[in-house]
Amino acid sequence: MMNGGCLFVGMGSPYGDDCVGWVIARSIAGRLGDEFTVRCARSPAVLLDWLDNFDELHVCDAFVGNGAVGTLRGWDWPAEEIELARFQGSHDLSLPAALALAAQLGRLPAKVRVWGVAVGDHASFDSMSAVIAARASEIVDQICGALGHA
């Protein structure tokens, strides 16, 4: 049963540009109010275990798709664009599939927003690319502004 609060999840891994979701989540943790719980995850499947007691979910992940590298996109779920975007990493269950499953199980919060950070087709897996690293602070500012925590 949902009773309030917001969950913000940075999706990714510790490798290359795939870590951008984690970097964003960790950076905004101190700027969001007490109504937000901030977590990091490697797999969208863990969302299914974390959704209780939240009426709002925000997920930030790297994706390969339209837009210049380092561009922030935001989608309200459900959105066809989320289904078409290729989210970064080696997730065992894709982000759209995990959200769809949570909805089918009646566990998805009323409001779901997916934040995607565009990375290149050949994103580095050694370290975060210079473009993504340079844009991270601005992306944090954009997300916090959209969440009313500028």
Side-chain angles (χ1 to χ4, degrees):
M1 170 172 26
M2 315 276 174
N3 64 5
C6 303
L7 175 62
F8 189 102
V9 178
M11 198 65 59
S13 75
Y15 305 108
D17 287 342
D18 193 38
C19 76
V20 71
W22 288 8
V23 169
I24 299 301
R26 289 175 179 149
S27 295
I28 69 170
R31 291 177 60 180
L32 298 177
D34 290 341
E35 75 271 18
F36 279 86
T37 298
V38 179
R39 296 184 176 156
C40 293
R42 281 185 180 245
S43 168
V46 302
L47 292 174
L48 297 170
D49 294 330
W50 292 349
L51 296 176
D52 290 339
N53 303 318
F54 294 103
D55 56 17
E56 193 171 321
L57 170 66
H58 294 266
V59 179
C60 184
D61 198 3
F63 79 99
V64 178
N66 294 336
V69 171
T71 301
L72 176 67
R73 297 282 314 271
W75 302 280
D76 290 319
W77 177 264
E80 184 177 335
E81 293 86 5
I82 298 172
E83 300 280 345
L84 299 175
R86 191 178 69 192
F87 286 88
Q88 192 67 15
S90 57
H91 308 312
D92 54 351
L93 184 66
S94 72
L95 180 56
L99 294 174
L101 179 58
Q104 289 175 341
L105 295 172
R107 305 215 35 232
L108 200 62
K111 179 179 179 182
V112 178
R113 181 94 170 145
V114 175
W115 301 96
V117 179
V119 297
D121 281 330
H122 302 289
S124 167
F125 284 99
D126 295 325
S127 60
M128 185 181 282
S129 66
V131 173
I132 300 296
R135 293 264 308 125
S137 179
E138 186 178 332
I139 291 168
V140 168
D141 290 343
Q142 287 177 296
I143 293 174
C144 286
L147 298 176
H149 291 272

